[in-house]
Structures are given as structure tokens and as C-alpha cells.
Amino acid sequence: MKDVEILLGGPMPPLVMDGVATSFTAHRPWEAADPAAYLAGIGPRIRGLATSSSHGRIDDAYLAHLPRLEIIASYGVGYDSIDVAAAARRGIVVTNTPDVLTDEVADLALGLLLATVRQLPQADRFLRSGRWLEKSFPLTATLRERKVGILGLGRIGKAIARRCEAFGLPIAYHGRHRQDDLPYAFYGTPAELAAAVDVLMVVTPGGTGTRHLVDASVLQALGPTGILINVSRGSVVDEAALIRALRDGTILSAGLDVFEDEPRVPSELVEMEHVVLLPHVGSGSVHTRNAMGQLVVDNLAAWFSGKGPLTPVPETPWAGRTA
């Protein structure tokens, strides 16, 4: 398949770049003296694109440079940086990397919840600063007698729910549809869910349809003992409203792995002692990132060998899809 030319949208893990280069003719425009001119020159020959959300928006204007493009293989489960509708109009298949990161992100979500409720980073800083020599660390909130609301009960949301059940925590959820085969309470709006729970776990996809889904009204409903955990996309939460809610005591605390303008995190959040902040590391283990990278390569290899994509996103225009 070396006659197939693949564009790498930006720097990617070595497993992806090496895997693409081994099987295809790979192009790295960011290494060129004039990336725009380089892309203009190779664009008409490109048949596959390997990309990730960190590479920027893949929209109709971008796709216009790639008239022969057949497939976009995205590194990550979220694909809100890709205009899938624009790709569909051009007959381009879009794939992502689901399942292989589900357990890793779910593990991180529970770790972030525990760290936020029991103030584990704060306790670590307390000890390291020598303050334990002066007094005991203050008592914290608890998971006991809390109910967890999951906003977005997809693959990762269900994995989080199973872990919460192991902790003995009641589960409720909101999503686009009620899932009648599940034993959890369903609420029709995010605000109704927030009002019924003590922890709001945000796991919904990003994109225009979920932008600021968690707004001031949802945070008000969550209440002064409520905790917000976000492991989805920063765009889902109105960050300015969240800062006000944390500052004013509208909610108790928050654990955040994602932000609206990554890697730039508002100084107001950084300066808050009662929140836990992580640098978008939900899937950030060597094992899982390797599995994600291999799936990007495998999707390209499957497509160009005539087998069809392995993990097409639901909106993709592929007649042979079975899921």
C-alpha cells in the first residue's frame, strides 16, 4: 500500500507515525519550511488523514484541499474537532478509537472523584509543606450517602457506573435517550439530574450540541454540597459559570480533567485550593495510548485493503457498517 499517500495532521505518537510510514507514503507538513504550500502541493494526492483533536478543526475549508480523501482516522474517542457532516457530504469515512480507552478513562474518573471528595492532592501538599507537624489535616467530605449522576451514559459512562456500584453508590443518568435495559434512574434534563444527585459526572461528547450543557442553572441545581467531575470535553461546562459557582459556594467542589481552552487553564481555577485539576490525562497511560495509536493505523490499513473501517463513527457514510 505504499502507493497510498497519507497525511499526518500534526505530530502524533511514534507508534502512529511509524506505523503509517511503514505501510503507506506518509506526509508531515509541519516539518516543511512552508506547511501551507506543502499541503497545497500534496493535497490532491492524499487519500487518508490521521489526526487528533490537538491538530485543530477539520472543516469543509480544510477538506477542500484534499479532493481525493477517503478516510479520516482520528486518535481519540471524541471527534468534535471534525466536521463529520462536511466529511459525509464528500463521502469521507471518519473513524475514532473507542473501547480501547474506556476502562482507563473510567478508572481516572473514579480516581478524580475520590481525590476531589477526600482532598487527596491537598492532603499531600499539607504533608509536604510540613504542616502536619503543627496540626492534623482537616476532616473532608465523603462518598458515603452520595448519589452519582452521570451525564452521558455511553461506553465510558457505563464503565463509570459499574465502578460506582462497586463503591455502593446509587446511580442516575441523563442522556439523549432513556435506556430501558438499565436499572438506573433517568432524568429528562441535566438540571433535573443535578437536582437529584450529589455528584455530577460529565461524560458526554463535546461539540456544538453539548456546548455549555452544564450551565449556571445546572450548577445551581447541584447545590452547595454538590461536586462536579468532568472527564469529557471542557466545552460541555460553562467555565465562567463554574468559576462563579465555586467561588460563591453554589457547589462544594470540582474535579476537572478538561478545560475550555486547553492547555490554558483560568488562573481563577488554578488559585482555588478546594478543586482538583488534571492536564487532560484521562487516557494517558502508555498501554492505552499505544492501543489507541494502533487502532488509528489498523483503521487505515483495513480501509485501504478493502475490508472497510474497523471503528466508524455513527454519522459516517459507510454502507457496510454493522454497528
Side-chain angles (χ1 to χ4, degrees):
M1 293 184 287
K2 292 294 285 187
D3 60 324
V4 175
E5 300 192 42
I6 304 294
L7 176 67
L8 295 166
M12 300 185 78
L15 189 151
V16 177
M17 294 198 293
D18 294 345
V20 171
T22 297
S23 300
F24 307 97
T25 296
H27 294 279
R28 306 181 183 188
W30 70 91
E31 295 179 347
D34 186 341
Y38 181 84
L39 179 59
I42 65 167
R45 306 197 306 269
I46 295 298
R47 296 174 60 194
L49 170 63
T51 188
S52 78
S53 59
S54 64
H55 297 160
R57 181 79 174 154
I58 306 298
D59 56 15
D60 205 51
Y62 185 95
L63 294 173
H65 295 289
L66 311 173
R68 293 186 64 200
L69 189 66
E70 301 172 29
I71 182 171
I72 301 171
S74 183
Y75 176 80
V77 67
Y79 49 94
D80 47 296
S81 62
I82 301 171
D83 186 338
V84 181
R89 288 194 298 270
R90 295 171 178 271
I92 299 168
V93 167
V94 178
T95 67
N96 62 343
T97 59
D99 298 320
V100 293
L101 52 65
T102 296
D103 286 330
E104 203 74 77
V105 177
D107 289 348
L108 187 282
L110 264 293
L112 184 54
L113 173 58
L114 285 168
T116 303
V117 172
R118 295 301 310 276
Q119 299 183 31
L120 301 185
Q122 295 90 330
D124 177 85
R125 294 194 292 270
F126 183 89
L127 182 149
R128 292 176 186 273
S129 68
R131 284 177 285 170
W132 194 19
L133 297 170
E134 304 167 3
K135 59 181 179 180
S136 297
F137 187 73
L139 300 180
T140 70
T142 179
L143 281 183
R144 307 285 69 76
E145 299 182 356
R146 283 186 177 271
K147 185 175 184 178
V148 175
I150 299 176
L151 187 58
L153 201 65
R155 293 180 179 90
I156 296 173
K158 290 184 177 71
I160 291 171
R162 291 192 296 271
R163 286 157 173 77
C164 288
E165 286 182 307
F167 279 80
L169 302 173
I171 308 298
Y173 74 100
H174 167 76
R176 288 174 293 180
H177 310 288
R178 182 192 299 269
Q179 301 185 49
D180 293 328
D181 58 333
L182 296 176
Y184 314 129
F186 172 79
Y187 289 86
T189 69
E192 290 172 352
L193 175 64
V197 301
D198 309 284
V199 173
L200 185 61
M201 184 80 70
V202 183
V203 205
T204 189
T208 56
T210 59
R211 178 171 173 76
H212 290 184
L213 190 63
V214 177
D215 58 12
S217 66
V218 173
L219 297 169
Q220 185 70 42
L222 186 56
T225 63
I227 291 173
L228 177 76
I229 304 293
N230 189 4
V231 293
S232 61
R233 284 288 192 263
S235 61
V236 178
V237 175
D238 182 339
E239 206 161 70
L242 174 60
I243 290 170
R244 290 193 300 270
L246 288 165
R247 183 187 59 215
D248 300 342
T250 301
I251 66 172
L252 179 65
S253 187
L256 308 172
D257 186 43
V258 290
F259 305 88
E260 285 205 72
D261 187 24
E262 296 176 4
R264 288 160 288 277
V265 178
S267 59
E268 295 94 334
L269 287 174
V270 173
E271 292 164 3
M272 288 180 181
E273 178 63 20
H274 65 303
V275 301
V276 178
L277 311 175
L278 302 179
H280 202 154
V281 293
S283 63
S285 73
V286 173
H287 169 86
T288 294
R289 292 291 173 87
N290 282 345
M292 291 164 60
Q294 188 60 57
L295 189 49
V296 169
V297 176
D298 290 347
N299 265 301
L300 292 169
W303 177 258
F304 288 109
S305 63
K307 300 176 182 177
L310 301 178
T311 52
V313 304
E315 306 92 335
T316 206
W318 180 55
R321 71 186 316 274
T322 58

